[in-house]
Amino acid sequence: MKYIRLGDLLVKSGTITQEQLNEALKLQADTGERLGTVLQKHGFITEKQLIDTLMSQLGVEFIDLNGYNIPSEMAQILPKSIAKKHGVVPIRVTRTDVYLAMADPLNFVAIEEVRSVTRRRVIPLIAASAAVDRAVQNLYSNQGAMRAIEDMQRDLLQYGADSAALVQSMAVDEDEADAAPAIRLVNSIIDRACTEGASDIHMEPGEDSMTIRMRIDGTLRPIIPVPRKLQNAVISRLKIMARMDIAQKLLPQDGRANVTVRQETLDLRISTLPTIYGEKVVIRLLRKTPELATLEGIGLEGENRERLRDLVDHTTEGVILMVGPTGSGKTSTLYAIIDRLKSEEVNLVSLEDPVEYHIDGVCQVQVNEKTGLTFASALRSVLRQDPDIIAVGEIRDGETAEIAMRAAMTGHLVLSTVHTNNAVSSVDRLLDIGVESYLIAGAVKGIVSQRLVRRLCPHCKKPYTPPPEELAALGMEPGDYTFYRGEGCGECFGTGYRGRTGAFEILEVTSDMRRAIHARSLKELERAVEGANFQPIMANCRRLILDGVTSVEEVQRVLGDV
């Protein structure tokens, strides 16, 4: 393949204009990114247009890596460092050729380096950039994990039943090339979890093996089994990382560790629990992701976003509650509001258990009930610290709730979360835990109820015409609608979903609602809510379905039988 510039090829094919190319080249000079990346990032072309143009102009074959099973021995053909450096992955080899999937088949530096290393002729194949990155990660991550398991089994044979040497060897520095296999296995598992966007890693001991599962988009997925005889070494490695007691195996333990994966710092919360087959370990991965700290990043769009902005920006005293079941994204919404309200002019203090993300400009307090620093006691102390805004991670009891309500009525803005199913039932929940109705009526200014729904996978979602029963289940009138569902592909583990977004209902408390709360009448409150400009969460879900963001099945799974 003779040398040809991507920009000239795209202009020649009519995909972009010369003016667009000139503008993209100026942007490229500032960022140093590859031209194809710049063109896509700034909307000059889509990835599909780029692929179609390269296929037609160069005669390069396209390969869908999402449905392609790359043999594990391909990891031996090309070093991981080169694959990651150039964004390429070998998918097949013959005695003389190596078939190389790459997002940019015009990257002649990569082609030449692969040819030099493999000593084979390179046959480039074009693939989607995200699919290449994922294939590289899965190929080399699985290879690293399996090699580490093989090395651990060999070491176990060498040291016999006494695993002390295995545990001792795990003190090796992680950066050393000759790191112990248990270190390499744990690192590869964490690296895989980071790549897949997992929120938790579950290591579950069984009769024959320890199963590694990862919670991806809210659902647990099995990843790899670890032989039972190796589980103690893996668990001991994690205990060393979290500064736990290695010898204590009969009591639950909690710890934390910080790791860096591909220039991203992760905070690991590690918890152990004794079971009949050994200790189960759950690792929560907490990331420093800036998009989580914005209203857009949590999925708030359109009218709901404007409504919450107005509520947050124009409420100087009172309580704003985030409500929903466990895992519905309440804490992310709380952080987004905190990020919006923080400034040099206000004293913003948060009480959290645990502190999940560190925010500059906010005084964050770690609640510790073992030492007596409860939400209630910490809240009392904070009120003596001249606060303007107080964020209480969770209202768990009547004492905390009452202090928060009284603080709100004396001129403070209080943000907090409550475990309830919807906005209206949160009032009932506060009454149940003993808060006086007049305090709730006087203090609560707004309630944000939310759920997390899975996004349809963009690689495999297909349109269809919904049957009448689906429309009826969603409370929609018969009509000409287009819905979408995911067929399942390699990119989404065959589930049809990839990523999650929020569905919201935002209730601004009116004078009629206050009278109903004061009278402790849930029926009157429901009537007052119906009379207000209130959009229930189902309305938001219908919009997400019509926009092709999620599916009917997912909404029914999350909200129940609608």
Side-chain angles (χ1 to χ4, degrees):
M1 188 188 297
K2 67 177 183 178
Y3 180 75
I4 182 171
R5 293 188 301 183
L6 176 63
D8 295 337
L9 188 143
L10 291 170
V11 171
K12 178 184 176 184
S13 65
T15 309
I16 62 172
T17 64
Q18 186 64 48
E19 290 73 21
Q20 288 175 320
L21 174 59
N22 294 339
E23 186 177 347
L25 289 171
K26 290 178 183 177
L27 293 168
Q28 183 191 27
D30 295 332
T31 63
E33 296 174 309
R34 295 192 66 82
L35 181 60
T37 303
V38 174
L39 288 166
Q40 292 177 63
K41 184 180 291 185
H42 293 276
F44 294 112
I45 58 171
T46 64
E47 185 171 45
K48 186 177 186 306
Q49 286 177 308
L50 177 61
I51 290 173
D52 290 345
T53 302
L54 292 174
M55 287 173 61
S56 63
Q57 296 293 313
L58 301 178
V60 177
E61 183 183 342
F62 172 77
I63 180 166
D64 182 5
L65 291 177
N66 294 320
Y68 193 91
N69 185 25
I70 301 176
S72 58
E73 55 266 25
M74 290 300 102
Q76 308 293 334
I77 298 296
L78 188 69
K80 180 181 179 181
S81 58
I82 295 177
K84 293 185 72 173
K85 174 184 174 184
H86 295 296
V88 299
V89 61
I91 64 165
R92 184 162 63 92
V93 293
T94 65
R95 189 173 58 84
T96 57
D97 299 331
V98 55
Y99 291 79
L100 192 69
M102 52 198 308
D104 182 6
L106 292 175
N107 186 348
F108 295 101
V109 174
I111 291 174
E112 182 59 30
E113 190 166 351
V114 172
R115 187 198 63 76
S116 176
V117 169
T118 62
R119 298 183 183 278
R120 291 176 171 90
R121 185 181 62 158
V122 174
I123 300 177
L125 304 170
I126 190 168
S129 177
V132 173
D133 292 342
R134 185 184 178 89
V136 169
Q137 188 55 43
N138 288 348
L139 174 63
Y140 291 96
S141 175
N142 289 342
Q143 181 224 19
M146 297 310 297
R147 185 182 296 172
I149 289 174
E150 292 171 3
D151 290 347
M152 289 173 70
Q153 289 175 319
R154 186 182 62 248
D155 289 352
L156 195 65
L157 289 174
Q158 178 181 346
Y159 295 118
D162 181 10
S163 63
L166 284 176
V167 174
Q168 196 65 34
S169 70
M170 285 184 286
V172 175
D173 191 324
E174 293 182 43
D175 292 330
E176 291 185 19
D178 59 346
I183 290 178
R184 290 190 276 115
L185 176 57
V186 169
N187 287 353
S188 69
I189 291 170
I190 295 172
D191 188 66
R192 175 74 178 272
C194 186
T195 301
E196 300 292 355
S199 61
D200 302 87
I201 303 170
H202 289 236
M203 299 184 175
E204 302 166 334
E207 188 173 359
D208 301 316
S209 64
M210 180 171 69
T211 301
I212 309 295
R213 296 197 294 170
M214 296 180 185
R215 189 174 295 280
I216 302 168
D217 298 335
T219 305
L220 284 171
R221 309 278 179 210
I223 300 297
I224 187 174
V226 175
R228 177 172 169 78
K229 58 187 176 182
L230 304 180
Q231 75 182 39
N232 286 340
V234 173
I235 293 171
S236 294
R237 167 60 186 162
L238 288 166
K239 285 184 173 181
I240 288 173
M241 290 173 64
R243 296 176 176 83
M244 296 180 185
D245 184 354
I246 296 178
Q248 179 55 266
K249 300 180 180 181
L250 302 179
L251 291 175
Q253 295 188 65
D254 294 292
R256 59 188 296 176
N258 286 301
V259 298
T260 300
V261 181
R262 296 190 302 280
Q263 288 77 53
E264 180 183 12
T265 301
L266 297 179
D267 186 11
L268 307 181
R269 304 296 168 90
I270 302 174
S271 170
T272 68
L273 181 70
T275 74
I276 58 173
Y277 293 118
E279 293 175 282
K280 174 180 177 177
V281 180
V282 174
I283 306 169
R284 167 65 58 87
L285 286 78
L286 301 174
R287 297 173 175 80
K288 301 267 186 181
T289 44
E291 61 268 21
L292 282 179
T294 66
L295 299 182
E296 294 79 5
I298 61 175
L300 266 170
E301 298 291 343
E303 187 179 343
N304 275 337
R305 184 172 62 195
E306 297 308 314
R307 188 173 294 181
L308 184 58
R309 278 179 175 172
D310 289 343
L311 178 64
V312 170
D313 294 346
H314 298 114
T315 303
T316 57
E317 60 182 63
V319 176
I320 298 176
L321 294 175
M322 273 59 69
V323 306
T326 300
S328 60
K330 300 186 298 296
T331 302
S332 294
T333 302
L334 182 64
Y335 275 116
I337 295 175
I338 289 173
D339 187 68
R340 185 173 181 85
L341 291 173
K342 68 175 185 178
S343 73
E344 294 180 351
E345 289 78 33
V346 299
N347 178 19
L348 201 163
V349 183
S350 73
L351 311 178
E352 305 173 54
D353 183 22
V355 175
E356 294 191 8
Y357 301 102
H358 299 278
I359 306 175
D360 292 335
V362 177
C363 178
Q364 295 175 274
V365 179
Q366 171 75 58
V367 169
N368 189 340
E369 297 197 0
K370 292 179 182 178
T371 62
L373 186 62
T374 62
F375 276 113
S377 63
L379 189 49
R380 285 195 183 92
S381 299
V382 166
L383 288 172
R384 296 191 287 271
Q385 293 273 316
D386 185 33
D388 298 296
I389 303 170
I390 307 169
V392 182
E394 183 184 345
I395 290 179
R396 297 174 179 171
D397 54 74
E399 184 183 10
T400 305
E402 184 166 336
I403 298 170
M405 300 294 162
R406 292 188 184 279
M409 293 184 71
T410 55
H412 302 91
L413 176 57
V414 179
L415 314 170
S416 191
T417 70
V418 179
H419 286 280
T420 58
N421 287 330
N422 55 52
V424 174
S425 66
S426 61
V427 174
D428 211 25
R429 168 70 175 153
L430 293 173
L431 291 170
D432 285 344
I433 61 177
V435 184
E436 294 293 339
S437 59
Y438 75 90
L439 285 176
I440 303 172
V444 178
K445 303 296 184 184
I447 304 170
V448 181
S449 177
Q450 65 184 92
R451 297 288 194 281
L452 287 176
V453 295
R454 290 180 294 175
R455 289 178 173 272
L456 287 169
C457 175
H459 300 278
C460 65
K461 75 175 182 180
K462 303 293 182 186
Y464 72 98
T465 301
E469 54 268 24
E470 278 194 5
L471 295 176
L474 294 170
M476 299 173 65
E477 296 294 328
D480 184 18
Y481 300 102
T482 299
F483 288 0
Y484 296 82
R485 61 164 60 101
E487 295 186 337
C489 65
E491 189 74 15
C492 59
F493 289 92
T495 63
Y497 300 95
R498 192 65 177 160
R500 291 190 291 177
T501 190
F504 300 86
E505 61 182 22
I506 299 169
L507 179 65
E508 297 178 67
V509 180
T510 65
S511 55
D512 288 342
M513 294 179 203
R514 296 188 197 287
R515 282 192 290 271
I517 294 170
H518 198 281
R520 289 176 171 264
S521 173
L522 196 58
K523 288 187 178 179
E524 283 186 33
L525 177 59
E526 289 173 349
R527 281 197 293 270
V529 168
E530 288 175 4
N533 182 25
F534 172 68
Q535 294 292 322
I537 198 168
M538 190 64 217
N540 191 191
C541 287
R542 283 194 288 265
R543 174 47 52 198
L544 293 174
I545 290 170
L546 289 170
D547 289 345
V549 175
T550 192
S551 68
V552 175
E553 293 81 7
E554 176 65 4
V555 168
Q556 291 177 327
R557 182 187 73 85
V558 172
L559 294 187
D561 188 9
V562 296

